[in-house]
Amino acid sequence: VGRPLIGSSFEGFNSTILAYGQTGTGKTHTMVGRPTEDDKGLEPRLVEALFARAAESSASGARCRIEASKMEVYNERIYDLLRYGGAPLRIRESSRGVHVEGLTRVLCKDERTAQLFMAQGEQMRTTAATLMNATSSRSHAITELSLTRESGDDADAVRYSKLTLVDLAG
């Protein structure tokens, strides 16, 4: 899953996957899935593929750094899903582009760590019952996987990319 997308990330290109549709159509299931091997969603599969490719790159002398963050937009406010509680966050613009000020970014040394943080963030999402779904996501969830790759053969060749996964509320 996602080989071309992961390959593009390692070349320094940003990518986004956006899931949208009505409540109860399976957006969150498509993005997150369930923990079983056959029922994993895009997010855990892409994390797995990202770390597999990072291991291949490291074997050829490159250094890879992967950071993860997860936030939700609920009632027009942004909340950090990797930090329990806390005030809404704000969007800022800087020389590096638009970012969410104060958003937790976790350095993930391995796939297991990344998967644990993503699962933790998913459990923090705001849900409620609707007529269509007993535990409907009531917020937009945004997962960011940031990759910094330093080429082993050229010390000046540093590539930055961000893979963004968006699960819109129904």
Side-chain angles (χ1 to χ4, degrees):
V1 166
R3 289 182 200 271
L5 194 66
I6 297 301
S8 294
S9 293
F10 275 78
E11 293 301 316
F13 294 98
N14 296 327
S15 303
T16 301
I17 296 177
L18 183 75
Y20 68 96
Q22 288 183 294
T23 296
T25 57
K27 297 176 300 295
T28 300
H29 181 75
T30 297
M31 296 302 271
V32 179
R34 292 192 181 91
T36 64
E37 186 64 33
D38 293 336
D39 211 11
K40 290 191 289 189
L42 281 172
E43 185 177 289
R45 290 175 192 266
L46 286 170
V47 166
E48 184 178 290
L50 185 65
F51 277 93
R53 180 68 185 268
E56 289 172 14
S57 286
S58 295
S60 64
R63 288 186 303 195
C64 299
R65 178 183 172 95
I66 299 170
E67 293 179 312
S69 63
K70 194 164 183 121
M71 65 188 110
E72 76 175 338
V73 180
Y74 179 68
N75 285 339
E76 300 183 25
R77 293 197 166 110
I78 301 169
Y79 296 96
D80 189 337
L81 292 176
L82 298 182
R83 183 183 325 140
Y84 185 74
L89 304 175
R90 301 173 101 177
I91 296 174
R92 296 285 183 226
E93 189 173 358
S94 70
S95 60
R96 293 190 74 194
V98 176
H99 68 280
V100 177
E101 186 176 67
L103 181 65
T104 301
R105 296 191 191 291
V106 179
L107 175 62
C108 299
K109 298 278 188 190
D110 55 34
E111 178 192 342
R112 183 177 176 276
T113 304
Q115 299 286 16
L116 287 172
F117 278 113
M118 296 300 94
Q120 171 193 329
E122 194 59 34
Q123 291 200 352
M124 297 285 289
R125 275 187 83 182
T126 302
T127 60
T130 68
L131 294 176
M132 296 288 292
N133 189 341
T135 57
S136 181
S137 304
R138 303 313 317 146
S139 65
H140 308 299
I142 303 162
T143 301
E144 292 181 343
L145 299 167
S146 301
L147 171 67
T148 304
R149 180 178 171 269
E150 294 181 44
S151 177
D153 54 353
D154 181 1
D156 295 329
V158 178
R159 299 204 172 149
Y160 304 96
S161 64
K162 190 181 294 183
L163 176 56
T164 305
L165 307 169
V166 182
D167 177 9
L168 296 176

